[in-house]
Structures are given as structure tokens and as C-alpha cells.
């Protein structure tokens, strides 16, 4: 310990002796690390697995079920129709499954003076909350998938409309219809929101209100993101029939397949389904069955943020440049103090003791560079959020992430110091002392 | 001064020189590629839109009551809002539309020439619904036939954008032709409708009323030059006076929409420019400190040279030449790296090839920065008096 404090003092003394070269080295190192940290933060939030315990079991099936013949149309649409969802949920293999889409509307508490407030809605089925681990604070999910005038609120929506969360049994007026609240979710978020990647909604917050699927079709509530109609029905009239029977595509569909055996069985089920549809003359397009795992979904829908990918590549290069540069500078710095190293060797300090000194230098450098780099990363994040507004939801630092960054800073400072110090401590003694 | 000696002296400091070279090469590669991306973003943002961006305003409207979202109440609401807007001083023209040019999303469909579906089908074309006045509001020029009239409302006639008419009817016979969307009665000039449709200038203009406004609708307002800010401030109050049960979204000028449209490209370009600036700074710092250290180390050598009669400018030239030599060597490697990086980047982004003149230009820029950074240490080195430098000999 005494040794350590001596090394520490020596390390600080060395800094004080030549402050300019040291400041330059430190500055270059922390600029490089800062750019890298800011980008790593975005990249982490963009590409993390939001449901690590079960994401490998969640799948998005797609069938090429558009009822217009087209031999060159090999890829299914990005969204599903009511009929697709119905057909795909006719299997008992998945342990949970739900069709869903995002919508929007205006809600207000009945018999109050407050005007209508815009809300985001997810129309979905009872298994949604199991599929994506959305925890209930009060109440529970719907008893089955039938139509019912019942909705589930997100924690934030409960606070927004009622100022409290225990609101089971209360009523809410949504687009002129009266619903009873049967559940309130905890303050739950999923980032990235992988269940709605195909509409580019991956970094938006989860919805405020959850509405039963069949109710939405009864009332003509449609998706507010992607909808496609592939026939000449009028979907503004009698949506309860047209929306269910027609070729109106707007939904996502997720299933949970717990084991590889179940996944294989579900693939088989999809093949059988398409074969029997083809036999019935309802599947004129080529078989294009797809079963995407949740972790591949952004790639599958071509919804990765390419700008961030490119920036990631470049910022790693930039870190490399800064590392090379800083080690070049610190080599210069250690060469300048070669004489002192040699003197201490001549007075009997072992190489091991010099190594101890070296590691202390690394620690001091690492801590200073880390602090400066964090400051710089904050500035960089502000700039990036300004220039690419889509990234503004992604700049959160968790303790784990910060610890990881500290590790990277130490490693970088070690890499920068190790070769120069080694060179300095191994120089021939007498040659140095002669001068 | 001899190059062989210089190279020998560089080779004596292999590691330092190698570090310097790698860093210079990376810097060059990054700067060259950032420049290309920035240039591409500029090109994208500067392409003609066919619209007068500075005097158009978009007002997104969504009725908050379901009754107001369907006909006939919807049409009535639109008419009331439009006549109130037209009465505001400074307003030239106002129309409703189902979707705004420049904005992604909304109503898209396919279109083909009747009886020629196989050869003419286009998958994704914006269907632009709106009042008859939208031609005036958007400033569309009539190129063929006639524009939509009040008597056409809810009939099967359409007007095509020029780009779309050329694609559907390459032989030029457009008017009176039957398509899956209706009979063509006119062709108007192109505007930038939807960037990610099959072609960004495709558009079909239809005289249909909106059956329902589940996703809201847009009021587009053309304003006299210089009056936009004043009208923008007035409009929310004007619209609220017409009908309270509507949600009025953020009013945006077309110039703002246009900036948003290319924001991810321009954002990335700006970010890379900042990064390139930092890289140049880092390169300059490194050149500066390298020359400074090296100068101190070589004090003795320089002193001897001075004592033997080398002039100051000559010593200066020597120090500078060394940094030029390293920069040029690093830059040569950087040219290769730049091409490699371009290859990698074009895997994630659509990116043009590097133009031939860009690389020499970047090398020149790098050379300039490095010389600038070396100049001061080089001057310090030449100040060494022969007497002090050779004292310990």
C-alpha cells in the first residue's frame, strides 16, 4: 500500500513535470473514447435484446396469402390481414400468440370538464402481455379473445387521466365509446420495441391503451401506421364484415414457440396450412412462408438504422486513430524520461517494481481519461440527438454500461502506456547513464 | 539534404513512425469518405421539389369526434375551415388534401393501364385526394389536357404527374386512356411526393372526397411571400373559432418538411464532418508534438549541423520535409484504406464511388494541416545556437 501511494505520487509528479505533452495525450485519448462511448450508447440501445429471457422463443410468421395471382411475388406483405391472423392462430402449438396493430384516438374521462386527449392505442389479444412480459400492477388481461368493451391502461395513461393507478372498474371514453378499465400495467417499457419494427416504430414508447382485437374490428378502428388493401371493398363502411373478410392488411402476429421441436412443428403447420389453402384455391401466390425470430426482425424488415451503423463503423476507426496517436505521444513522453528509468534501474529497482509504477500510471490515466471521455460523450450525444432526432430515446446510461465504459477506458489507457513504458524500462543502462 | 538520410532516420524510429503512418492513413480515409457522404446529402437536399417551399404551410387536422370524421359532416367541416382560412389576409389559396407532398406514408396504391396489367403495373403510387384548388395551392403547371373541376368530384377521372404518365404511356398518348385508377384527363408537372414510393415524383390526383378521416387530413395554405410567420400565428385561433372538436397538429412550413425529409442523411454528414474535424485536430496535435519531441532529441545533431554551416532555413526545411514525407507515405496508405472503407460503408448505406479528384484534394488538406502544426516546433529547432547544442560533446 505504501508502495502504491509512492507510485501514485511519482505518477502525479511525472505529470506535473511535463504538463503539456501529458494534457495532449489525455485529450486525444478522451476525445476518442468520448466519441466511442456516445456511439456505443446508441448502438447498445438500438441493438440490445429487450426480452433476453424469452426473445429466442418469439416468432413472427408470414404467409404469402394475397389473393391476386402473381408468380413473381415471392415475399409476403409486411403486415397481415384479419384472415391471416385467424388462420395462423388456428394451431395449438404456440404457448402464447397474439395479433396486434397500433392505432390512435382521443380519450377522456366521462363527466369531467377535460377535453379529449390524444392517446396511442395497441389493439391486441389476451396473450400480448405474456408474450412481451408486460407486468400488471392491478387487474389482469382479458379472459378470452372475444369482443368486449374493456381496456387495459399503461401506468402513465392511468396517471394522466386519473392521477392514480388503482382505477379498476372506472370508465374511459375513447373516440365516443365507453370502456371499462380491467387492468393497469406497471410502468413498463420495451426498448427497442421489437413487436412493431415493421412500421419503423422500434424506438417509440409502448402504447398507452390496450384494446381487444375483436372490439376494434367491430368498431372499425384501424391501424394508424401501415395499412394496405388489395381488393375493391370500401373499408370505410361496415368494417366489422369488410375488415374481417376482405384483403385489408394492417396487423402484426407474434407466437411463442418454446422449443426447437415446437418451432419445427409450427413451420410444418404453416406449410400444411398453405398447401390446404392452395387446394381450396385461396392461395394463388407462390409459397413464401417465413418465420422470423424476434432478434432477426429488424434485419428481416430492413428497419435497421443505417446511419447509426455507418457511424458505429467510423467511430471505431476514430478510436483506433486516437489510440495510435496517444500511444505515439506517450512513447515520446516516456522516451523523454528514459534517463530517470535507467537511473532507478541502476539504483536497484527491479523491472517488477517499474511495472508497478507503470500500472499506477495506467490507473491514473484511465480514471482521468474516463472522466473526460464521459464529459465529451455527453456533448457528443447532445450533438447526435440534435442531428439525428430519431436517436433521442436512446441516450440512457445504466450502471452496467458505465462500468463497461470504465473498463474500456482502462484497457485503452493500458494499451497506450504499455509499449512505451516497456521500451523505456528496457533501454540499455550504461548508454543512458553515460549521457 | 538527402532523402536517403531522412528515410534512414525515420527507419531508426520504426514504431513511432509506424504509429504516425497508421494514424495518418486512417484520418485520410475517414475524411475522404465523410466528404463523399456530405456531398451526397447536399445533392439529395438540393434536388428540385417542384414546390415553392417558402410560402406553403401544412396544417394537420384530426377531428376528435367520430361523427366529424365521416361524410357528410367531414366535407362540411373542411369547407367551413377553408373559407375561414381564405378570409385571412395574406392567404393566396387553401385546399384540403389527404396527404402532404414530401411526407412519407399515407394512401398509396398500384396503377396499371387497363388490359396491360402485366407490363404496366406500378406497385406504389401516392393517391393524392384534395380540393380542386390544390393545383393552385401546390403550384402545379398543367402540361396536357385539363385539370380537375368541381363537376368531376367523385367521378372516375384522374390527373397524372409527368413522371408517372411517361412511365405508364411511353409513347406519349396519355389523354383519354383508361387506367385502373380512372380515365386520364390531364398531366401536371412533377413534385416530390413520397421519397420512398416507386419513384419520388409519381402522383395520381383524384377528385374524390375523403370518405372518412380516420387518420386526419391536411389543410395546405399558400401564402404571399413574407407573410408566412404572421399567418402561421393566426391560423390556430381561426380554426378553433370554426370548430372546437378538432385536434390541430403542429403547423409546419414546407421548408421545414423538406429539411426533415433528408434529416438523417444531412445529420450523418454533419456528424461525420465534426468527426473529420476532430481527426484533423488530432493529426495536427500529433504532428506538433512529434516535431517538438524530435526537435528536442535532435538538438545536438542540429547544433552540429548549424556549426558546420547549415543555414536556419535549411534546418527548417529539413524538419518540414520529414513531416511531409511521413504525411505523404501515410496518405498513400490512406488512399487504399479510403477505398476499402468506402466499400464497407456502401454495404450499409447507398453511397457513390469516390470521385478521382477527392483523394488528392484530401491529401493536400492533410499536408497543409500537418505543415501548419509542424511550423512552430520547426522554428524552435532552428533557434538552437550551435554553442549550447554542442556543449556536452
Amino acid at each position: 500500500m505504501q508502495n502504491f501511494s509512492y507510485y501514485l505520487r511519482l505518477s502525479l509528479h511525472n505529470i506535473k513535470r511535463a504538463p503539456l505533452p501529458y494534457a495532449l495525450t489525455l485529450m486525444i485519448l478522451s476525445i476518442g473514447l468520448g466519441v466511442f462511448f456516445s456511439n456505443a450508447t446508441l448502438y447498445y440501445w438500438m441493438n440490445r435484446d429487450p426480452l433476453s429471457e424469452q426473445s429466442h422463443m418469439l416468432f413472427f410468421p408470414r404467409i404469402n396469402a394475397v389473393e391476386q395471382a402473381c408468380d413473381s411475388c415471392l415475399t409476403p406483405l409486411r403486415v397481415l390481414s384479419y384472415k391471416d391472423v385467424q388462420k395462423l392462430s388456428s394451431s395449438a402449438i404456440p404457448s402464447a400468440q397474439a395479433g396486434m396493430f397500433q392505432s390512435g384516438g382521443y380519450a377522456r374521462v366521462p363527466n369531467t370538464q377535460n377535453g379529449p386527449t390524444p392517446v396511442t392505442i395497441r389493439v391486441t389479444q389476451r396473450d400480448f402481455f405474456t408474450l412481451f412480459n408486460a407486468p400488471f400492477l392491478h387487474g389482469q388481461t382479458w379472459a378470452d379473445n372475444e369482443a368486449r368493451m374493456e381496456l387495459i391502461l399503461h401506468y402513465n395513461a392511468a396517471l394522466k387521466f386519473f392521477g392514480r393507478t388503482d382505477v379498476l372498474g372506472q370508465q374511459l371514453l375513447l373516440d365516443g365509446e365507453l370502456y371499462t378499465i380491467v387492468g393497469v400495467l406497471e410502468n413498463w417499457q420495451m426498448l427497442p420495441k421489437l413487436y412493431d419494427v415493421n412500421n419503423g416504430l422500434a424506438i417509440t414508447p409502448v402504447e398507452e391503451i390496450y384494446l381487444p382485437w375483436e372490439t376494434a374490428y367491430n368498431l372499425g378502428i384501424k391501424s394508424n401506421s401501415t395499412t394496405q388493401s388489395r381488393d375493391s371493398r370500401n373499408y370505410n363502411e361496415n368494417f366489422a364484415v369488410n375488415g374481417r373478410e376482405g384483403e385489408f392488411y394492417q396487423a402484426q402476429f407474434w407466437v411463442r414457440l418454446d422449443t426447437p421441436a415446437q418451432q419445427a412443428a409450427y413451420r410444418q403447420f404453416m406449410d400444411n396450412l398453405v398447401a390446404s389453402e392452395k387446394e381450396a384455391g385461396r392461395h394463388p401466390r407462390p409459397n413464401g412462408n417465413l418465420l422470423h425470430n424476434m432478434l432477426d426482425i429488424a434485419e428481416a424488415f430492413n428497419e435497421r438504422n443505417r446511419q447509426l451503423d455507418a457511424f458505429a463503423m467510423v467511430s471505431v476507426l476514430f478510436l483506433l486513430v486516437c489510440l495510435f496517436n496517444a500511444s505515439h505521444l506517450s512513447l515520446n513522453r516516456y522516451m523523454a524520461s528514459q534517463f530517470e528509468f535507467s537511473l532507478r534501474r541502476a539504483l536497484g529497482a527491479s523491472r517488477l517494481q517499474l511495472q508497478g509504477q507503470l500500472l499506477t500510471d495506467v490507473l491514473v490515466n484511465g480514471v482521468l481519461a474516463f472522466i473526460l471521455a464521459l464529459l465529451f460523450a455527453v456533448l457528443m450525444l447532445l450533438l447526435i440527438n440534435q442531428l439525428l432526432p430519431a436517436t433521442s430515446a436512446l441516450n440512457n446510461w445504466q450502471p452496467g454500461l458505465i462500468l463497461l465504459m470504465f473498463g474500456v477506458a482502462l484497457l485503452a489507457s493500458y494499451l497506450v502506456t504499455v509499449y512505451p513504458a516497456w521500451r523505456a524500462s528496457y533501454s540499455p543502462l550504461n548508454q543512458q547513464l553515460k549521457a | 539534404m538527402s532523402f536517403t538520410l531522412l528515410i534512414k532516420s525515420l527507419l531508426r524510429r520504426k514504431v513511432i513512425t509506424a504509429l504516425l503512418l497508421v494514424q495518418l492513413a486512417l484520418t485520410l480515409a475517414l475524411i475522404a469518405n465523410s466528404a463523399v457522404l456530405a456531398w451526397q446529402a447536399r445533392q439529395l437536399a438540393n434536388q428540385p421539389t417542384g414546390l415553392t417551399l417558402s410560402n406553403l404551410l401544412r396544417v394537420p387536422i384530426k377531428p376528435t369526434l367520430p361523427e366529424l370524421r365521416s361524410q357528410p359532416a367531414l366535407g362540411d367541416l373542411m369547407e367551413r375551415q377553408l373559407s375561414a382560412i381564405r378570409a385571412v389576409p395574406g392567404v393566396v389559396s387553401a385546399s384540403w388534401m389527404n396527404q402532404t407532398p414530401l411526407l412519407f406514408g399515407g394512401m398509396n396504391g398500384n396503377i396499371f393501364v387497363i388490359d396491360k396489367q402485366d407490363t404496366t403495373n406500378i406497385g406504389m403510387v401516392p393517391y393524392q385526394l384534395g380540393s380542386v384548388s390544390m393545383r393552385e395551392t401546390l403550384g402545379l403547371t398543367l402540361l396536357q389536357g385539363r385539370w380537375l373541376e368541381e363537376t368531376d368530384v367523385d367521378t372516375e377521372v384522374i390527373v397524372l404527374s409527368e413522371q408517372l404518365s411517361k412511365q405508364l404511356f411511353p409513347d406519349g398518348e396519355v389523354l383519354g386512356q383508361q387506367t385502373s385508377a380512372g380515365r386520364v384527363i390531364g398531366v401536371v408537372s412533377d413534385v416530390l411526393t413520397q421519397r420512398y414510393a416507386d419513384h419520388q415524383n409519381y402522383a395520381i390526383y383524384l377528385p374524390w372526397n375523403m370518405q372518412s378521416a380516420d387518420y386526419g387530413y391536411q389543410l395546405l395554405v399558400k401564402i404571399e411571400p413574407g407573410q408566412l410567420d404572421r399567418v402561421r400565428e393566426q391560423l390556430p385561433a381561426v380554426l378553433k373559432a370554426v370548430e372546437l372538436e378538432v385536434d390541430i397538429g403542429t403547423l409546419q412550413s414546407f421548408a421545414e418538411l423538406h429539411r426533415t425529409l433528408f434529416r438523417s442523411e444531412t445529420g450523418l454528414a454533419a456528424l461525420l464532418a465534426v468527426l473529420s474535424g476532430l481527426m484533423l485536430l488530432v493529426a495536427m496535435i500529433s504532428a506538433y508534438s512529434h516535431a517538438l519531441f524530435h526537435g528536442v532529441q535532435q538538438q545536438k545533431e542540429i547544433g552540429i549541423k548549424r556549426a558546420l554551416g547549415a543555414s536556419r532555413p535549411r534546418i527548417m526545411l529539413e524538419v518540414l520535409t520529414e513531416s511531409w514525407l511521413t504525411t505523404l507515405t501515410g496518405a498513400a496508405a490512406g488512399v487504399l484504406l479510403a477505398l476499402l472503407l468506402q466499400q464497407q460503408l456502401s454495404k450499409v448505406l447507398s453511397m457513390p464511388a469516390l470521385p478521382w479528384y477527392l483523394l488528392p484534394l484530401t491529401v493536400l488538406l492533410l499536408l497543409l494541416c500537418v505543415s501548419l502544426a509542424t511550423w512552430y516546433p520547426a522554428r524552435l529547432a532552428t533557434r538552437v545556437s550551435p554553442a549550447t547544442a554542442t556543449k556536452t560533446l
Side-chain angles (χ1 to χ4, degrees), chain A residues 20-21 24 27-28 31 35 104-106 108 116 118 175-176 220 222-224 227 234 236-237 248 306-311 313-315 317-318 320-322 324-325 327-329 331-333 335-336 376 380 383-384 386-389 419 423 435, chain B residues 15-16 19-20 22-23 26-27 30 34 37 62-66 69 106 110 123 211-212 214-215 245 247 263-268 270-272 274-275 278-279 281-283 285-290 292-294 297 300 341 344-345 347-349:
Chain A
L20 181 69
L24 288 179
M27 185 171 113
I28 286 177
I31 287 180
V35 170
Y106 294 88
R108 65 180 106 186
D175 280 342
K222 296 170 207 154
S223 161
N224 65 353
T227 63
N234 180 354
N236 293 310
E237 280 168 15
F248 190 79
R306 304 284 163 193
Q307 271 73 34
L308 272 192
D309 282 356
F311 188 54
M313 200 142 91
V314 169
S315 81
L317 276 188
F318 185 65
L320 268 184
V321 170
C322 290
F324 276 118
N325 212 318
S327 67
H328 166 207
L329 290 190
L331 185 53
N332 279 337
R333 187 169 155 251
M335 291 302 232
F376 199 78
M380 258 330 260
L383 181 74
I384 295 174
Q386 189 73 33
L387 292 172
L388 302 171
Y419 175 74
R423 266 283 292 271
Chain B
V15 179
I16 286 197
L19 288 177
L20 196 67
V22 170
Q23 169 230 326
L26 283 172
T27 305
L30 187 72
S34 308
L37 280 175
K62 198 170 172 192
T64 53
L65 290 181
R69 277 182 226 152
N110 65 331
Q211 285 309 302
S212 79
D214 291 336
Y215 318 116
E245 286 290 343
D247 187 16
R263 188 147 58 183
S264 61
E265 281 84 3
T266 47
L268 181 66
L271 217 51
L272 289 177
V274 170
L275 220 54
L278 284 177
M279 273 208 163
L281 181 77
V282 166
I285 292 179
S286 116
Y288 169 83
S289 63
H290 180 73
L292 193 67
F293 270 106
H294 194 51
Q297 276 191 334
K300 230 180 276 173
L341 181 64
Q344 291 304 311
L345 277 176
K347 281 186 189 158
V348 284
L349 298 166

Side-chain angles (χ1 to χ4, degrees), chain A residues 319-357:
Chain A
L319 179 63
L320 268 184
V321 170
C322 290
L323 283 184
F324 276 118
N325 212 318
S327 67
H328 166 207
L329 290 190
S330 81
L331 185 53
N332 279 337
R333 187 169 155 251
Y334 275 96
M335 291 302 232
S337 57
Q338 217 170 28
F339 175 74
E340 193 193 310
F341 267 100
S342 305
L343 190 62
R344 283 165 57 205
R345 287 271 290 126
L347 292 178
S350 71
R351 291 223 163 104
L352 199 70
Q353 281 167 322
L354 289 186
Q355 288 292 314
Q357 173 64 43

Side-chain angles (χ1 to χ4, degrees), chain A residues 30-61:
Chain A
S30 50
I31 287 180
L33 284 172
V35 170
F36 178 74
F37 285 172
S38 62
N39 182 68
T41 312
L42 298 178
Y43 204 77
Y44 166 76
W45 284 107
M46 200 70 186
N47 294 293
R48 75 192 265 265
D49 179 355
L51 280 175
S52 47
E53 62 285 358
Q54 59 183 23
S55 55
H56 61 284
M57 299 189 279
L58 298 179
F59 291 86
F60 187 119

